Amino acid sequence: MTRLPRWADLVLVPLISLALAFAISALVILSIGQNPIEALRVMVTGALGSSYGWGYTLYYATNFIFTGLAVAVAAHAGLFNIGAEGQASLGGLGVALVALSLPWPHWGVALSAAMVGAALFGAMWAFVPAILQAKRGSHIVITTIMFNFLAAALLNWLLVNVLRPVGSMDPASARFPEGTQLPRVTDMAAAMGIEWGKSTPANISFLIALAACLLVWLLIWRTPLGYEIRAFGRSERAARYAGIRPTRIIVIAMMISGGLAGMMAINNVMGEAGRLLLNSAEGAGFIGIAVALMGRNHPVGIVLAALLFGFLYQGGAELALWTSIPRELIVVIQALVILFTGALDNMVRMPLNRLFGAR
Amino acid sequence: MDYATVLQILDSAVRLMTPLLLACLAGLYSERAGVFDIGLEGKMLMAAFSAAATAAITGSVWLGLLAGVLAAVGMSLIHGLAAITFRGNQLISGVAINFLASGLTVLLGQSWFGLGGRTPSLEGAARFGSITLPGAEALRGIPVLGPFYAEVVSGHTALVYVAALLVPGTWWLLYRTRFGLRLRAVGENPASVDTAGVSVPRLRWAAVAICGVLTGLAGAYLATGLSAGFVKEMTAGRGYIALAALIFANWLPWRALGATFLFGLMEAVANRYPEIDLGPVTIPSMVMSALPYLLTVIILAGFIGRATPPRAGGEPYVKER
């Protein structure tokens, strides 16, 4: 099955899968009596046509880079982490506890502490499914799904009963203090003398996400641990013979994965909302699955895929605003991308194999 | 708590159990044949929407039921294509199906009915009516058992009884027929079935199709039996709870009945008592709603009993050349 040249495997197969996903999405738009080309125009101008649109696109992309990396690191170890959503919500709890605990003198200090909090809480939420998989053989897919629901219930309870400020009716934490506000892209551009439109939620977390990509690349392809993770993911039995301890790899890979998912909270909870809200992850954990699949679990691919989904997200919001197409269209597109790039991979690959094999 | 309250809770437990039981049995067929299905949620959701939309337009609940089943079978075909024909990742395919249903139902619902993803409320012939079993009123006078028969056993919609009959039906099919033997074998050791000259893909396709029909019934019941119309995300994790029940039941039909009844009962109790006061401590409602998930994790960890899934589950079968 691996007769395809490398470039075809890395570029051609995902592009064809993506094209199929978009073609069917266009059919869906046609079937509800709308014009797909017009829809695409609204999405492109809404998401990429202004610095305002770009600001939102980058903000969403930041979330998806973190969750995409999270899913990818686990995938390298052969683990399918569906729990990024729950881990990202718990990361939000970590951020909120850090931000609310002290009067922070400077955002830089607060950010460093919040990153630790977010990663720690996300990693802890991934630790339980990991140890259950490693020690008791519970299927990680099912346990991480269950942990998503448990995270939702836990946060629901905490926000209603514990973190909600006295006298507030909202199931949300108190507003974070002034010193925790992260610099936004607008401020950063202004500091460099560039005019960057209206205020958007894109903030310094985007740079941290890019740094995380670099670190993940280094970890996976340039460290002994990364080698062990990949070896384990390729063949558990071979890895065992090579003296790689399965428990250790499963737990470490899942905790890095959960930590990355949790880190997403510095963008949405700290950078945007400024307080912990119900359902703060807003499905970004699930989009991470699509992002990792499309990006072939490679950081560069993940950045590109995250930008694409950031575009779809912001474009979808504009679509809902200016046309009568609901923003659930992006859920459909996301599903089709997951389906074609992840599950129906061979449908594209088999004919290509024949094509390349014939030469 | 008096007897009347107990009966009311049991009655609502039976109603809430039905979609779980149907979906759980659906998963049982699929997974026993070696095809993991975490897309139960999406299939149910799609079926619920199709059933409610069709019933709302035609005014007939039976056409709605047909549409619901067809929609879920359609989703099953996608899963079968990915899992059986193209030997793709079954888990990823299931995730995709859940998202597809979640997006499509709102997208289509909004563009057809313009009610923010809901369908119009169903009335009269567009809903399943309740069936009064023979003698329900006459036997009511008998102490304890009479009211139990009249309140809990009688007075449900047709699909509740169908679901109940499917339990012995499934048991018989799986353990007393040749088809059942082969179906179970294909989930344990597909190579042996192949050696015997029976087509592995054909058996798996059959199982996936049955799974579609049953999730179709589950979804249709949800939208036209339990409630009167489709609401956005109305399955609310029931597909996952059904999956949890399947693990709880250790992939056995009779135990599926017990597990789904337990989960239905928990939901019924949580609905009736949002907070349970136990004297010194009060159990908040979130604990009750999280309980099925927590129980599943504990079972998966092997603390209550070992969950042994079909051995060839989740793996595409590649015929040796």
Side-chain angles (χ1 to χ4, degrees):
Chain A
M1 292 296 283
T2 49
R3 270 181 301 174
L4 284 186
R6 205 173 137 74
W7 69 270
D9 189 54
L10 287 178
V11 181
L12 201 58
V13 175
L15 278 185
I16 294 176
S17 302
L18 201 62
L20 282 171
F22 280 119
I24 295 185
S25 308
L27 289 180
V28 171
I29 299 176
L30 274 177
S31 77
I32 58 171
Q34 305 274 348
N35 181 350
I37 296 171
E38 174 62 16
L40 183 66
R41 198 192 59 77
V42 172
M43 288 176 80
V44 171
T45 48
L48 309 176
S50 63
S51 57
Y52 173 79
W54 266 103
Y56 270 95
T57 301
L58 286 182
Y59 164 72
Y60 290 124
T62 309
N63 286 342
F64 305 151
I65 290 176
F66 279 119
T67 52
L69 287 176
V71 176
V73 168
H76 276 294
L79 303 163
F80 189 24
N81 179 13
I82 308 198
E85 184 77 7
Q87 290 143 17
S89 324
L90 261 285
L93 179 64
V95 166
L97 293 182
V98 167
L100 293 170
S101 62
L102 291 173
W104 295 96
H106 185 265
W107 64 263
V109 190
L111 177 60
S112 321
M115 279 165 65
V116 175
L120 209 63
F121 272 65
M124 286 320 293
W125 206 246
F127 174 74
V128 187
I131 201 85
L132 288 178
Q133 157 102 15
K135 291 279 186 199
R136 326 254 342 167
S138 339
H139 203 301
I140 201 133
V141 170
I142 308 286
T143 39
T144 47
I145 290 177
M146 299 299 145
F147 266 70
N148 283 338
F149 286 106
L150 291 176
L154 175 67
L155 279 175
N156 197 340
W157 179 76
L158 280 175
L159 286 176
V160 170
N161 297 299
V162 182
L163 290 171
R164 188 165 51 118
V166 182
S168 160
M169 293 303 286
D170 243 9
S173 79
R175 228 160 239 302
F176 297 165
E178 206 52 31
T180 61
Q181 225 159 54
L182 298 182
R184 306 219 154 168
V185 170
T186 319
D187 314 328
M188 291 173 354
M192 286 186 284
I194 307 166
E195 182 92 26
W196 180 289
K198 277 176 284 178
S199 186
T200 57
N203 61 69
I204 198 161
S205 311
F206 180 66
L207 300 179
I208 297 170
L210 292 181
C213 283
L214 182 67
L215 287 177
V216 166
W217 179 79
L218 283 172
L219 169 82
I220 297 290
W221 280 282
R222 288 291 178 273
T223 64
L225 178 65
Y227 169 76
E228 288 187 18
I229 288 177
R230 283 183 297 134
F232 180 79
R234 277 293 167 86
S235 164
E236 188 176 336
R237 273 194 25 211
R240 220 186 276 259
Y241 276 118
I244 294 170
R245 301 207 309 275
T247 309
R248 180 170 164 268
I249 294 300
I250 291 174
V251 169
I252 291 180
M254 274 306 283
M255 284 184 75
I256 295 173
S257 174
L260 283 165
M263 291 265 278
M264 183 197 115
I266 60 168
N267 185 44
N268 64 339
V269 175
M270 194 174 185
E272 203 252 343
R275 59 191 185 139
L276 185 59
L277 302 163
L278 262 188
N279 188 21
S280 60
E282 287 182 323
F286 297 116
I287 293 184
I289 300 168
V291 168
L293 282 173
M294 255 200 70
R296 294 284 147 126
N297 297 328
H298 191 285
V300 174
I302 285 170
V303 171
L304 294 176
L307 283 171
L308 175 74
F309 270 94
F311 154 73
L312 284 178
Y313 236 63
Q314 168 58 13
E318 294 283 318
L319 210 55
L321 196 63
W322 300 111
T323 71
S324 56
I325 303 175
R327 63 175 303 165
E328 274 75 13
L329 175 67
I330 49 177
V331 182
V332 174
I333 298 180
Q334 178 198 346
L336 292 169
V337 169
I338 295 179
L339 189 67
F340 281 105
T341 56
L344 288 173
D345 213 34
N346 284 334
M347 192 170 82
V348 176
R349 204 172 294 242
M350 281 173 180
L352 276 181
N353 268 340
R354 234 169 284 145
L355 198 69
F356 280 94
R359 278 187 199 167
Chain B
M1 195 157 46
D2 58 346
Y3 190 50
T5 317
V6 173
L7 288 183
Q8 274 172 19
I9 291 176
L10 287 178
D11 179 53
S12 101
V14 170
R15 286 170 205 280
L16 293 166
M17 170 188 80
T18 301
L20 295 178
L21 180 58
L22 286 166
C24 186
L25 291 175
L28 195 139
Y29 281 102
S30 180
E31 302 208 346
R32 269 307 180 96
V35 180
F36 276 166
D37 195 355
I38 54 174
L40 293 176
E41 175 89 2
K43 291 177 191 170
M44 269 168 90
L45 193 65
M46 203 66 211
F49 172 74
S50 307
T54 309
I57 292 167
T58 63
S60 158
V61 69
W62 295 105
L63 286 177
L65 180 68
L66 184 69
V69 168
L70 286 180
V73 170
M75 299 297 257
S76 276
L77 291 184
I78 299 178
H79 193 54
L81 205 63
I84 305 167
T85 307
F86 289 112
R87 301 197 289 265
N89 187 321
Q90 300 170 7
L91 300 165
I92 294 177
S93 164
V95 170
I97 283 171
N98 289 340
F99 281 119
L100 196 60
S102 156
L104 269 186
T105 49
V106 180
L107 196 68
L108 295 177
Q110 173 65 21
S111 65
W112 290 347
F113 303 106
L115 297 168
R118 285 190 302 115
T119 60
S121 292
L122 304 176
E123 287 165 357
R127 281 198 72 195
F128 276 106
S130 53
I131 298 169
T132 309
L133 293 185
E137 289 313 310
L139 296 174
R140 196 179 271 277
I142 301 170
V144 185
L145 284 181
F148 181 81
Y149 181 69
E151 297 279 333
V152 181
V153 180
S154 172
H156 293 291
T157 59
L159 284 180
V160 174
Y161 300 110
V162 169
L165 290 175
L166 274 169
V167 175
T170 300
W171 176 84
W172 181 80
L173 190 67
L174 281 184
Y175 295 98
R176 287 292 177 272
T177 66
R178 193 165 63 173
F179 173 74
L181 177 70
R182 288 173 173 174
L183 189 91
R184 283 181 294 133
V186 91
E188 295 290 336
N189 190 350
S192 71
V193 178
D194 201 9
T195 316
V198 181
S199 164
V200 172
R202 192 178 299 168
L203 272 169
R204 289 197 166 168
W205 272 108
V208 166
I210 295 174
C211 169
V213 173
L214 294 187
T215 43
L217 296 181
Y221 173 76
L222 214 53
T224 58
L226 198 59
S227 17
F230 177 85
V231 194
K232 187 175 167 176
E233 298 293 336
M234 81 178 302
T235 41
R238 281 194 176 85
Y240 296 110
I241 296 193
L243 210 57
L246 187 59
I247 296 165
F248 211 84
N250 218 355
W251 292 267
L252 298 167
W254 282 104
R255 283 220 223 160
L257 180 69
T260 49
F261 179 73
L262 180 70
F263 288 158
L265 187 65
M266 280 197 279
E267 199 182 337
V269 171
N271 285 348
R272 185 164 180 107
Y273 305 102
E275 289 182 331
I276 297 171
D277 191 2
L278 291 178
V281 280
T282 307
I283 303 175
S285 61
M286 283 78 155
V287 173
M288 287 301 287
S289 56
L291 216 49
Y293 307 114
L294 201 60
L295 275 175
T296 308
V297 172
I298 294 171
I299 289 168
L300 277 171
F303 289 119
I304 297 188
R306 200 98 191 121
T308 40
R311 224 170 345 136
E315 286 163 25
Y317 178 68
V318 186
K319 204 179 168 90
E320 264 180 80
R321 301 266 171 207

